């Protein structure tokens, strides 16, 4: 449903359904911004985030979760997520977070970072 709602608003997106698929998708595709849930089957979102950050510091990540704790929010901040959103999230708040992440990404590129 979220993917459809984002597509209707002009956001190109792909969907995976667990942590393993997320890591496989990232290994095979260029991704600029990721919306990541913390509670997923298999590898949970925190472990996915840790593994991503081992190899990719620049991917913009928005955490959207209904199960996140204050401790997890703090840890995701230390791992450089651009936003931590608690479900249920109004679609307009998510859109704002995506646009903020895209702006940050563009600003980093404009400053010569890739």
């Amino acid at each position: 449903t979220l993917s459809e709602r984002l597509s209707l608003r002009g956001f190109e997106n792909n969907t995976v359904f667990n942590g393993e698929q997320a890591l496989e998708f990232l290994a095979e595709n260029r991704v600029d911004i990721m919306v990541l849930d913390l509670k997923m089957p298999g590898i949970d979102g925190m472990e996915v985030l840790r593994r991503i950050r081992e190899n990719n510091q620049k991917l913009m990540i928005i955490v959207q979760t209904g199960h996140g704790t204050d401790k997890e929010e703090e840890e995701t901040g230390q791992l450089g997520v651009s936003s931590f959103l608690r479900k249920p999230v109004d679609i307009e708040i998510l859109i704002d977070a995506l646009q903020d992440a895209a702006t940050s990404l563009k600003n980093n590129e404009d400053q010569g970072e890739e």
Side-chain angles (χ1 to χ4, degrees):
T1 302
L2 179 57
S3 177
E4 290 175 17
R5 294 178 79 190
L6 291 172
S7 292
L8 289 171
R9 287 167 174 79
F11 287 87
E12 179 182 332
N13 65 88
N14 295 284
T15 303
V16 298
F17 298 98
N18 60 52
E20 290 88 354
Q21 287 179 355
L23 294 171
E24 289 172 12
F25 187 85
L26 289 172
E28 298 171 3
N29 299 277
R30 179 183 166 163
V31 175
D32 295 321
I33 302 171
M34 174 185 213
V35 177
L36 177 66
D37 199 339
L38 295 183
K39 186 169 183 171
M40 299 184 288
I43 301 172
D44 71 13
M46 285 302 300
E47 184 59 23
V48 170
L49 177 58
R50 288 183 200 105
R51 290 185 189 185
I52 290 169
R53 287 303 186 227
E54 288 174 6
N55 302 310
N56 187 337
Q57 294 295 316
K58 295 178 177 154
L59 176 64
M60 302 301 289
I61 300 173
I62 298 167
V63 170
Q64 177 179 304
T65 186
H67 303 280
T69 65
D70 290 340
K71 182 179 177 187
E72 288 172 323
E73 182 174 5
E74 182 179 331
E75 185 176 355
T76 62
Q78 292 169 353
L79 291 167
V81 301
S82 61
S83 297
F84 187 96
L85 306 174
R86 295 185 190 267
K87 291 180 184 176
V89 176
D90 181 276
I91 189 69
E92 295 306 321
I93 292 172
L94 178 58
I95 298 280
D96 288 345
L98 288 165
Q99 290 172 331
D100 289 346
T103 299
S104 293
L105 189 64
K106 183 176 180 346
N107 289 341
N108 290 341
E109 288 173 357
D110 288 348
Q111 294 174 5
E113 298 177 21
E114 290 187 25

